[in-house]
Amino acid sequence: MKVENTQVQMRKGILEFCILEIISRGEVYASDMLEELTAARMIVVEGTLYPLLTRLKNASLLDYNWVESTSGPPRKYYTLTETGRNFLEQLRLTWTDLVASTDYIIQNKKAQQL
């Protein structure tokens, strides 16, 4: 078993949460999302991002509007809907619980080794 496969699955598991967090800051263009996710070492490609954005839009968690660009075609900027903000708040609570649970298990192991 390769550790890289598990690492990829862990990243995929939190990708939706990370995308919603990025969009929660205000209007954002998809390439800016890709840039931030890449900088955070989430290693996402357009072929992963765009279907996920479409799924989130179809679930009424986000919306978009077209903005004319001076250097090319119009750009699609994403924002969270009210439903999306509520959904993200629930994910934040879940994330906090997961981090606390994982930290507990890690710390418990360290305590047993002492």
Side-chain angles (χ1 to χ4, degrees):
M1 182 174 211
K2 293 185 178 183
V3 71
E4 292 86 6
N5 293 341
T6 301
Q7 290 169 332
V8 166
Q9 291 304 313
M10 290 170 75
R11 284 185 180 99
K12 282 183 181 180
I14 62 169
L15 184 57
E16 184 175 301
F17 175 49
C18 291
I19 288 170
L20 291 172
E21 279 291 348
I22 292 169
I23 297 171
S24 74
R25 299 180 210 139
E27 285 190 333
V28 63
Y29 183 54
S31 67
D32 295 331
M33 283 184 245
L34 283 171
E35 186 177 302
E36 184 168 348
L37 291 165
T38 301
R41 299 179 8 188
M42 291 298 290
I43 312 167
V44 177
V45 295
E46 287 182 20
T48 301
L49 180 62
Y50 286 107
L52 182 51
L53 290 171
T54 299
R55 188 168 59 79
L56 295 172
K57 166 81 170 81
N58 291 342
S60 300
L61 300 180
L62 56 87
D63 203 358
Y64 62 81
N65 73 52
W66 290 98
V67 176
E68 291 296 325
S69 172
T70 58
S71 61
R75 293 180 169 193
K76 194 184 284 187
Y77 283 85
Y78 294 88
T79 56
L80 290 185
T81 62
E82 185 63 32
T83 301
R85 283 189 286 279
N86 293 334
F87 187 83
L88 177 58
E89 187 56 37
Q90 291 300 311
L91 291 182
R92 286 176 180 149
L93 294 171
T94 301
W95 177 254
T96 300
D97 288 345
L98 285 170
V99 169
S101 298
T102 305
D103 285 345
Y104 173 83
I105 291 168
I106 291 168
Q107 295 304 318
N108 193 33
K109 177 186 175 203
K110 289 180 181 176
Q112 289 179 355
Q113 291 176 345
L114 295 177

